[in-house]
Amino acid sequence: MKGWILLLILTKLVSFSMTQPTNSLTWLSYLRNRAYSHGYGRSHTNNHASLRAEDEDEPPVLDCPLECDCPPSYPSAMYCDNRQLQHVPFVPSHIKYVYLQNNQITGITNGVFDNAPNLAWISLHTNKLSSDKIGGKVFAKLPNLERLFLHNNNLSRLPHGLPRSLRDLHMNHNNISNVPVESFRGMSNLTALHLQVNGIEDLGNALEGLLSLTLLDLRGNRLKKIPESLPPKLSQLYLEYNRISSIPADFLSQRPELRFVRLSHNQLTNGGIPASAFNVSTLVELDLSFNKLERIPTISTSLENLYLQANKIKEFSVSSFCRVVDTNNYSHLRVLRLEANEIRAQDIPTEAVLCLRRATNIDL
């Protein structure tokens, strides 16, 4: 008789569990988080000594949500990537690095990170985030956040209230078309800003105040001109695949820290480039390939890498590289690419050998 009663109870339990629509992992995670909020599972000062000694040998029960991994070898990291998650799980207070990339997350609610004020790194790239589903105070209580990865989502604007502590911000491969002037206000610690492959047409003065920015990536947008108010410490500027047809005369002379400039795949013509725009001694690498140039622009003798392939250049002008050609005056150019133009090897003057004596690679 007892055996039949036990069998009946087990049958009811199995039937009940199979009819529940709630995902068991989500339900268990909810119970765990609720227990944590009420203090269960934490060590208390009034515990018996024997219990404390026993607990010291065991890892804390509530250190990691069920959806994620928190390996003992990296106690401050929480790995939740590639799990088909649709929400941001509970983040314990000791966590500094959260990896949530490659999931199905569509939104972030206010308060989701508030329990972990020491977060320094959040990876949320390659999800399905939309701007309308990100709370306005999501990052309000993260004063130590340094790196934020939000690329490869469906964002139409930058999130509100980005922490001023950020040093590296990835917003590339989204649907951002407008960047309000206040977007980066107060972010004087930001050193790298990735906005490539969006739909940005004009940045206006949005970059003002980024006093520490050294890398700006704006490839694959809809820019028609060089952005205004470029930061003073900028050393790397990537503007490939835009619609830029001209550049300002003082574009480089006012930015002595700028070393690498890439302007390939634009609509530049010689008429849109002032005579000495690139004759700046601080520049190291210049990429003007895949444009509409018919002549080699004048460059500084200190430039080391020049890319001019796939233009419409018809003549090799030594004066573009060396204003004076003798044993004491020469270009420091090492790489020169001129293939897919209208120049042949026999078109190069003999004095070019003396001028470009440091070159190790010249492609025609």
Side-chain angles (χ1 to χ4, degrees), residues 15-247:
S15 175
F16 175 78
S17 63
M18 292 179 64
T19 57
Q20 299 309 301
T22 304
N23 181 279
S24 60
L25 189 62
T26 303
W27 177 246
L28 287 173
S29 179
Y30 166 74
L31 290 178
R32 171 176 283 189
N33 297 343
R34 189 177 67 175
Y36 189 89
S37 66
H38 287 283
Y40 298 112
R42 301 174 185 170
S43 59
H44 296 279
T45 56
N46 59 352
N47 284 350
H48 294 292
S50 60
L51 290 177
R52 287 203 305 268
E54 186 178 12
D55 288 344
E56 286 175 358
D57 296 330
E58 296 293 332
V61 177
L62 300 174
D63 269 355
C64 193
L66 291 176
E67 303 97 320
C68 308
D69 287 328
C70 304
S73 54
Y74 299 98
S76 59
M78 188 172 94
Y79 296 90
C80 316
D81 52 308
N82 295 287
R83 317 229 170 181
Q84 298 296 314
L85 297 181
Q86 297 182 10
H87 68 283
V88 177
F90 168 79
V91 182
S93 59
H94 69 280
I95 295 296
K96 293 183 179 180
Y97 309 95
V98 175
Y99 301 93
L100 288 157
Q101 67 270 22
N102 297 308
N103 281 296
Q104 305 293 320
I105 300 171
T106 59
I108 315 173
T109 57
N110 288 330
V112 71
F113 297 123
D114 289 1
N115 187 60
N118 294 318
L119 276 175
W121 187 310
I122 298 177
S123 293
L124 271 162
H125 59 86
T126 318
N127 274 283
K128 296 182 178 180
L129 291 172
S130 61
S131 294
D132 295 336
K133 294 183 180 181
I134 297 181
K137 298 181 179 180
V138 165
F139 307 106
K141 296 184 179 181
L142 299 177
N144 300 301
L145 191 65
E146 294 186 355
R147 288 176 170 81
L148 179 59
F149 301 86
L150 291 171
H151 52 285
N152 288 99
N153 278 288
N154 300 318
L155 301 176
S156 58
R157 60 180 180 269
L158 275 79
H160 295 292
L162 290 172
R164 296 184 177 185
S165 56
L166 278 178
R167 295 181 179 275
D168 191 3
L169 177 59
H170 293 251
M171 297 294 304
N172 48 292
H173 292 82
N174 278 288
N175 300 315
I176 300 170
S177 58
N178 183 41
V179 182
V181 67
E182 69 276 6
S183 298
F184 308 113
R185 186 165 293 166
M187 298 175 65
S188 58
N189 294 315
L190 194 67
T191 60
L193 177 57
H194 301 264
L195 289 169
Q196 67 268 28
V197 193
N198 278 286
I200 301 171
E201 297 182 3
D202 189 4
L203 281 170
N205 293 318
L207 302 175
E208 279 187 344
L210 297 179
L211 303 179
S212 300
L213 197 70
T214 60
L215 184 152
L216 177 59
D217 196 339
L218 288 164
R219 292 172 294 162
N221 280 284
R222 300 174 184 173
L223 298 173
K224 295 181 180 180
K225 61 179 182 178
I226 303 291
E228 301 172 4
S229 304
L230 289 174
K233 291 187 178 180
L234 196 65
S235 64
Q236 302 176 58
L237 178 60
Y238 304 122
L239 292 167
E240 303 102 303
Y241 292 96
N242 277 284
R243 304 172 183 178
I244 300 170
S245 58
S246 63
I247 64 170

